[in-house]
Amino acid sequence: MALIVQKYGGTSVGSVERIQAVAQRVYKTVKAGNSLVVVVSAMGKTTDGLVKLANEISPNPNRREMDMLLSTGEQVTIALLSMALQELGQPAISMTGAQVGIVTEAEHSRARILHIETSRLTRHIKAGKVVVVAGFQGISSTGEMEITTLGRGGSDTSAVALAAALQANFCEIYTDVPGILTTDPRLVPEAQLMDAITCNEMLELASLGAKVLHPRAVEIARNYGVPLVVRSSWTDDPGTWVTSAKSQGRSLINLEIARPVDAVEFDTDQAKVALLRVPDKPGVAARLFGEIARQKVDVDLIIQSIHEGNSNDIAFTVMTPILKRAEAVAAAIAPALRSPSNPKSDEAEVMIENNIAKVSIAGAGMIGRPGVAAKMFATLAEAGVNIQMISTSEVKVSCVVDAAECDRAVTALSKAFEIEAEENGAGTGGCKDTERVFDNFYVSPRLPISASPTPPVRGVALDLNQARLAIRQLPDRPGMAAKLFGLLAQHNISVDMIIQSQRCRVIDGIPRRDIAFTVSRMDGENAKQLLTQVAAELGWGEVVLDSAIAKVSIVGTAMVGQPGVAAKMFEALAQQQINIQMIATSEIKISCVVAQDQGVKALQAIHSAFGLAGTEKFVVPA
Ligand code: ASP
Ligand code: MG
């Protein structure tokens, strides 16, 4: 007999008939010998309707009253579902977040869960009842016992947190899609349903998966090792398992991490190879990394920044023992890549840097929180550490620094982000982060164990809502990135990909580099104006904005240690004559910026290059 938490989303409980259908499923699950806690959303588009009502009264309603209002949606559903269960002869009881004791911060409209009282729940479960809990809401612990909500889409988070607190066997999220797909089926009808995906992959695919599963829920599942499955309410199909390593017995107090970063990781065993002034045209990255893959050289970080004129710099890191091989490949291929406009440039175009370390901060809490990257840069600046390379993904910021400064960087970052030594895996050095990235799959009894090895790429995401900004000629010294991104954070502008160029130019006696990054498109103009003003004051170079970009990303845990994955992605783009404007990577993700009008074509080409396309077309439910 298992203890299961089931969560039903808005469409699944959108009418009386649907609530009755949910009751049937719950009833069947109980009859099969399980105990059940059911978490529900508000019916259909109720929450949107409530928001609209509030906005008819005030353009800027009081946040406390807003929570009071929005929390009513779920309360309707819990009562109706309990009644439907009782009609079937199944004992059931409905409870609000406050009645359960889902205790949150006193932060209206985006409260995080601190802990969950389980005694009342357990008592009712033991008495043979199904407990139906209102999702998305909680109660503040301090003073006034205020009703809080967790932020839109928050019932997923309620469900997984309850599963963690109750140490349920697993948590099922019922929704109107059959599970997690390899990409957006509206753009690629050949998208396929996945049997399983790891929490880390799911978090990196936030822009693809967030509509199906709240990233905060995924983070709780990962931290507490809660087996999670996303399934359709309309069928008995198995859906997609979202897997994580078995939990290390983490404390259930401060359940949702209030801090945005949950690990500081480092790797001192890295070396950097940079190719300067390669032509800015389709196929260059494909050729370079194609050759590197043929030589079985596994690359870790890759960055390509934009640059003046028609040339780019591409840099990558490898493990020190294979540096010689990587260097040889780069040196052999560099002449062939040399810009035709500058064929006889005899400056050294391959640059090697042996004594480097990669330092990263990781955590899902940084999604949508401007200022996390800025804080990392500021912390490094205060510690006097210069940043040589920056590469970011959805849930990670990595900086390449001088190896001699690694310890200082890690100590400063652990302190700044309040990470204790045992938590961050920073011990004797080496590549602890790689260990962390490899999930030990939790194999649930219902998870089909496929005979084939995990493919290196699980999902492909396209983001068409970004703009790219670049600042030329920023002085290359500690504190510059901190200043730049600190400023953006102060203005509440979230930054996504960040890349720092490799080429260093001395102007007015100061070595300078370019930094490029992407922001959400609606922030583009604003950011440009802000930065243009600052650049003038500080003697930085030009600020360039391009709003017509698209970001395509591939994600997969199994790409770690597999040469050739990047090459395949770049090759797919080259075959379509698509130029890559920027590249940034984390261990399990590679993102490219391309021209906006080529975004969909890029997505389709990459999705099929990795063999993700199925034979059956996916029909998007209306
Ligand atoms: N009803 C809330 C919303 O629409 C919470 C949820 O459904 O997850 O955001
Ligand atoms: Mg939802």
Side-chain angles (χ1 to χ4, degrees):
M1 180 173 120
L3 172 60
I4 306 171
V5 176
Q6 292 188 336
K7 181 256 168 179
Y8 293 90
T11 27
S12 309
V13 292
S15 65
V16 164
E17 292 72 35
R18 288 184 176 178
I19 289 176
Q20 285 167 328
V22 166
Q24 287 289 351
R25 191 187 285 271
V26 171
Y27 182 68
K28 266 202 319 214
T29 316
V30 175
K31 282 287 159 280
N34 303 296
S35 296
L36 229 62
V37 171
V38 181
V39 177
V40 287
S41 286
M43 291 172 68
K45 299 244 171 278
T46 301
T47 311
D48 291 331
L50 293 171
V51 172
K52 200 159 153 270
L53 279 180
N55 287 334
E56 280 171 26
I57 290 178
S58 161
N60 191 12
N62 178 288
R63 282 174 49 203
R64 175 186 186 276
E65 301 311 329
M66 206 57 189
D67 276 0
M68 187 62 84
L69 178 68
L70 296 192
S71 61
T72 61
E74 273 69 14
Q75 212 169 313
V76 172
T77 326
I78 53 172
L80 293 175
L81 179 58
S82 295
M83 291 174 198
L85 283 164
Q86 288 161 5
E87 279 303 302
L88 297 174
Q90 171 59 51
I93 181 168
S94 64
M95 292 178 101
T96 64
Q99 284 177 311
V100 170
I102 300 182
V103 180
T104 73
E105 317 167 301
E107 179 74 51
H108 287 294
S109 81
R110 50 162 183 261
R112 292 185 162 241
I113 299 174
L114 297 176
H115 69 272
I116 298 182
E117 317 263 346
T118 50
S119 53
R120 264 168 256 156
L121 288 171
T122 325
R123 190 155 36 86
H124 290 300
I125 294 168
K126 284 217 174 99
K129 281 180 251 177
V130 169
V131 189
V132 184
V133 179
F136 171 61
Q137 55 176 262
I139 189 148
S140 72
S141 58
T142 45
E144 305 294 329
M145 308 277 276
E146 293 283 6
I147 293 179
T148 54
T149 66
L150 311 183
R152 295 304 305 270
S155 344
D156 295 342
T157 301
S158 309
V160 180
L162 277 162
L166 289 165
Q167 296 178 351
N169 295 72
F170 53 92
C171 178
E172 297 183 311
I173 306 281
Y174 284 96
T175 178
D176 51 357
V177 293
I180 318 274
L181 298 168
T182 51
T183 192
D184 184 344
R186 286 165 305 180
L187 302 174
V188 186
E190 296 80 16
Q192 289 304 292
L193 187 67
M194 290 182 236
D195 291 347
I197 183 170
T198 66
C199 283
N200 284 327
E201 290 168 329
M202 195 65 200
L203 288 169
E204 288 283 19
L205 283 168
S207 61
L208 171 67
K211 275 160 253 137
V212 188
L213 199 53
H214 209 225
R216 274 166 59 185
V218 181
E219 185 170 38
I220 299 171
R222 179 185 69 179
N223 291 344
Y224 291 94
V226 177
L228 186 63
V229 62
V230 179
R231 306 177 62 182
S232 162
S233 301
W234 323 133
T235 67
D236 283 325
D237 295 344
T240 306
W241 281 93
V242 183
T243 61
S244 46
K246 277 209 192 82
S247 148
Q248 311 294 321
R250 193 179 178 121
S251 155
L252 287 159
I253 302 294
N254 285 339
L255 193 141
E256 269 200 274
I257 321 169
R259 48 181 201 218
V261 166
D262 64 355
V264 174
E265 303 163 348
F266 67 93
D267 181 355
T268 47
D269 204 16
Q270 293 223 337
K272 176 177 91 180
V273 181
L275 271 98
L276 307 186
R277 288 172 208 84
V278 297
D280 183 22
K281 62 168 200 233
V284 170
R287 251 179 97 180
L288 173 61
F289 289 98
E291 193 49 39
I292 286 175
R294 266 187 293 285
Q295 302 300 325
K296 301 267 182 310
V297 171
D298 182 34
V299 296
D300 181 15
L301 287 183
I302 302 175
I303 66 170
Q304 179 198 295
S305 189
I306 59 140
H307 209 270
E308 290 134 283
N310 46 9
S311 75
N312 284 322
D313 304 335
I314 298 182
F316 57 93
T317 64
V318 294
M319 303 284 282
T320 315
I322 53 172
L323 172 64
K324 280 276 160 284
R325 224 169 344 132
E327 184 181 354
V329 179
I333 205 161
L337 295 177
R338 209 159 275 170
S339 168
S341 60
N342 195 9
K344 57 177 182 27
S345 84
D346 48 11
E347 302 164 62
E349 294 199 304
V350 179
M351 210 169 71
I352 303 295
E353 183 79 61
N354 212 332
N355 297 315
I356 59 154
K358 181 179 75 173
V359 186
S360 313
I361 53 172
M366 68 176 76
I367 296 175
R369 277 203 211 181
V372 175
K375 182 167 171 184
M376 177 183 199
F377 304 149
T379 305
L380 293 175
E382 271 160 37
V385 175
N386 196 30
I387 304 168
Q388 299 183 18
M389 248 167 114
I390 302 171
S391 189
T392 56
S393 76
E394 220 89 31
V395 292
K396 193 168 228 183
V397 185
S398 302
C399 293
V400 166
V401 302
D402 196 300
E405 297 180 334
C406 180
D407 276 355
R408 202 146 33 96
V410 171
T411 310
L413 289 170
S414 303
K415 187 149 167 266
F417 290 105
E418 297 169 42
I419 307 291
E420 281 154 33
E422 333 69 270
E423 289 175 284
N424 68 25
T428 51
C431 41
K432 288 284 196 245
D433 47 349
T434 319
E435 276 164 39
R436 186 171 179 276
V437 165
F438 276 117
D439 281 354
N440 293 317
F441 281 46
Y442 175 95
V443 183
S444 137
R446 291 160 67 190
L447 173 61
I449 304 165
S450 56
S452 53
T454 317
V457 173
R458 308 305 315 283
V460 191
L462 175 67
D463 191 340
L464 290 168
N465 290 312
Q466 296 208 356
R468 191 196 71 203
L469 279 144
I471 303 190
R472 311 252 183 235
Q473 292 133 27
L474 237 70
D476 181 28
R477 59 165 181 257
M480 287 300 118
K483 183 165 269 154
L484 169 58
F485 295 106
L487 194 70
L488 292 170
Q490 270 166 31
H491 288 80
N492 219 5
I493 298 175
S494 275
V495 175
D496 183 28
M497 265 167 107
I498 302 175
I499 288 168
Q500 182 176 257
S501 76
Q502 289 311 294
R503 204 179 312 181
C504 204
R505 291 211 307 182
V506 180
I507 299 172
D508 304 333
I510 305 170
R512 293 162 187 270
R513 290 179 201 269
D514 301 346
I515 289 190
F517 54 93
T518 62
V519 296
S520 122
R521 173 142 337 113
M522 59 182 193
D523 289 332
E525 272 302 333
N526 199 353
K528 182 181 173 185
Q529 270 177 21
L530 194 76
L531 294 174
T532 309
Q533 204 185 341
V534 177
E537 283 162 25
L538 298 178
W540 297 349
E542 192 192 354
V543 179
V544 196
L545 170 68
D546 183 354
S547 292
I549 62 150
K551 184 181 94 174
V552 261
S553 312
I554 57 175
V555 173
T557 302
M559 75 171 67
V560 181
Q562 260 203 48
V565 176
K568 197 175 209 171
M569 177 183 196
F570 303 152
E571 180 55 37
L573 295 174
Q575 265 173 20
Q576 302 293 320
Q577 292 295 311
I578 296 172
N579 194 30
I580 305 170
Q581 301 179 5
M582 266 165 92
I583 304 170
T585 62
S586 74
E587 287 86 354
I588 64 167
K589 179 174 194 176
I590 304 174
S591 300
C592 294
V593 168
V594 302
Q596 171 138 60
D597 54 6
Q598 295 182 312
V600 174
K601 196 161 96 180
L603 175 71
Q604 290 164 342
I606 293 169
H607 188 263
S608 99
F610 284 99
L612 296 174
T615 44
E616 261 172 62
K617 297 213 174 200
F618 188 84
V619 185
V620 183

